[in-house]
mmCIF file of all heavy atoms in Angstrom:
data_model
loop_
_atom_site.group_PDB
_atom_site.id
_atom_site.type_symbol
_atom_site.label_atom_id
_atom_site.label_comp_id
_atom_site.label_asym_id
_atom_site.label_seq_id
_atom_site.Cartn_x
_atom_site.Cartn_y
_atom_site.Cartn_z
ATOM 1 N N TYR A 440 97.762 89.578 54.260
ATOM 2 C CA TYR A 440 96.830 88.494 54.150
ATOM 3 C C TYR A 440 96.479 87.735 55.405
ATOM 4 O O TYR A 440 95.300 87.472 55.638
ATOM 5 C CB TYR A 440 97.408 87.453 53.059
ATOM 6 C CG TYR A 440 96.523 86.246 52.760
ATOM 7 C CD1 TYR A 440 95.627 86.241 51.760
ATOM 8 C CD2 TYR A 440 96.699 85.033 53.597
ATOM 9 C CE1 TYR A 440 94.991 85.147 51.568
ATOM 10 C CE2 TYR A 440 95.895 83.944 53.295
ATOM 11 C CZ TYR A 440 95.080 84.052 52.431
ATOM 12 O OH TYR A 440 94.284 82.886 52.048
ATOM 13 N N THR A 441 97.493 87.540 56.221
ATOM 14 C CA THR A 441 97.298 86.881 57.446
ATOM 15 C C THR A 441 96.415 87.684 58.418
ATOM 16 O O THR A 441 95.612 87.276 59.196
ATOM 17 C CB THR A 441 98.647 86.683 58.201
ATOM 18 O OG1 THR A 441 99.513 85.867 57.147
ATOM 19 C CG2 THR A 441 98.458 85.801 59.337
ATOM 20 N N ARG A 471 106.315 82.011 46.021
ATOM 21 C CA ARG A 471 105.524 82.589 47.174
ATOM 22 C C ARG A 471 104.561 83.704 46.688
ATOM 23 O O ARG A 471 103.360 83.659 47.039
ATOM 24 C CB ARG A 471 106.473 83.172 48.216
ATOM 25 C CG ARG A 471 107.222 82.160 48.992
ATOM 26 C CD ARG A 471 108.197 82.812 49.931
ATOM 27 N NE ARG A 471 109.072 81.823 50.400
ATOM 28 C CZ ARG A 471 108.900 81.173 51.507
ATOM 29 N NH1 ARG A 471 107.812 81.226 52.325
ATOM 30 N NH2 ARG A 471 109.916 80.254 51.988
ATOM 31 N N TYR A 474 101.724 81.884 44.591
ATOM 32 C CA TYR A 474 100.803 81.299 45.527
ATOM 33 C C TYR A 474 99.924 82.379 46.284
ATOM 34 O O TYR A 474 98.723 82.240 46.441
ATOM 35 C CB TYR A 474 101.583 80.482 46.577
ATOM 36 C CG TYR A 474 101.767 78.996 46.329
ATOM 37 C CD1 TYR A 474 103.017 78.456 46.125
ATOM 38 C CD2 TYR A 474 100.594 78.144 46.194
ATOM 39 C CE1 TYR A 474 103.222 77.145 45.941
ATOM 40 C CE2 TYR A 474 100.850 76.813 46.019
ATOM 41 C CZ TYR A 474 102.111 76.307 45.767
ATOM 42 O OH TYR A 474 102.271 74.929 45.509
ATOM 43 N N TYR A 507 105.777 73.977 38.066
ATOM 44 C CA TYR A 507 105.773 72.761 38.698
ATOM 45 C C TYR A 507 106.085 71.658 37.656
ATOM 46 O O TYR A 507 106.900 70.750 37.917
ATOM 47 C CB TYR A 507 104.428 72.421 39.441
ATOM 48 C CG TYR A 507 104.440 72.778 40.869
ATOM 49 C CD1 TYR A 507 103.999 74.113 41.333
ATOM 50 C CD2 TYR A 507 104.728 71.801 41.908
ATOM 51 C CE1 TYR A 507 103.982 74.331 42.614
ATOM 52 C CE2 TYR A 507 104.732 72.152 43.248
ATOM 53 C CZ TYR A 507 104.460 73.517 43.525
ATOM 54 O OH TYR A 507 104.376 73.739 44.895
ATOM 55 N N ALA B 111 99.881 83.124 56.922
ATOM 56 C CA ALA B 111 98.729 82.252 56.220
ATOM 57 C C ALA B 111 98.843 81.616 54.927
ATOM 58 O O ALA B 111 98.619 80.555 54.760
ATOM 59 C CB ALA B 111 97.437 83.133 56.443
ATOM 60 N N GLU B 115 98.405 77.774 54.595
ATOM 61 C CA GLU B 115 97.151 77.225 54.021
ATOM 62 C C GLU B 115 97.473 76.316 52.781
ATOM 63 O O GLU B 115 97.108 75.253 52.606
ATOM 64 C CB GLU B 115 96.293 78.389 53.559
ATOM 65 C CG GLU B 115 95.525 79.062 54.762
ATOM 66 C CD GLU B 115 94.837 80.383 54.349
ATOM 67 O OE1 GLU B 115 94.784 80.609 53.140
ATOM 68 O OE2 GLU B 115 94.387 80.958 55.227
ATOM 69 N N GLN B 120 97.833 70.849 50.644
ATOM 70 C CA GLN B 120 98.482 69.978 49.861
ATOM 71 C C GLN B 120 98.818 68.621 50.736
ATOM 72 O O GLN B 120 98.859 67.571 50.193
ATOM 73 C CB GLN B 120 99.800 70.592 49.292
ATOM 74 C CG GLN B 120 99.417 71.667 48.264
ATOM 75 C CD GLN B 120 100.573 72.083 47.445
ATOM 76 O OE1 GLN B 120 101.678 71.525 47.197
ATOM 77 N NE2 GLN B 120 100.535 73.385 47.103
ATOM 78 N N ASP B 242 108.861 75.085 53.451
ATOM 79 C CA ASP B 242 109.528 76.483 53.356
ATOM 80 C C ASP B 242 110.644 76.325 52.235
ATOM 81 O O ASP B 242 110.727 77.332 51.462
ATOM 82 C CB ASP B 242 110.213 76.747 54.715
ATOM 83 C CG ASP B 242 109.828 78.038 55.333
ATOM 84 O OD1 ASP B 242 109.482 78.973 54.439
ATOM 85 O OD2 ASP B 242 110.177 78.307 56.490
ATOM 86 N N HIS B 244 110.815 74.260 49.829
ATOM 87 C CA HIS B 244 110.366 74.089 48.546
ATOM 88 C C HIS B 244 109.833 75.292 47.861
ATOM 89 O O HIS B 244 109.949 75.533 46.776
ATOM 90 C CB HIS B 244 109.130 73.066 48.752
ATOM 91 C CG HIS B 244 108.193 72.850 47.576
ATOM 92 N ND1 HIS B 244 108.564 72.162 46.486
ATOM 93 C CD2 HIS B 244 106.976 73.530 47.288
ATOM 94 C CE1 HIS B 244 107.624 72.183 45.594
ATOM 95 N NE2 HIS B 244 106.590 72.955 45.966
#
Side-chain angles (χ1 to χ4, degrees):
Chain A
Y440 177 88
T441 308
R471 291 176 195 268
Y474 267 118
Y507 266 88
Chain B
E115 285 170 7
Q120 294 188 33
D242 229 344
H244 170 76

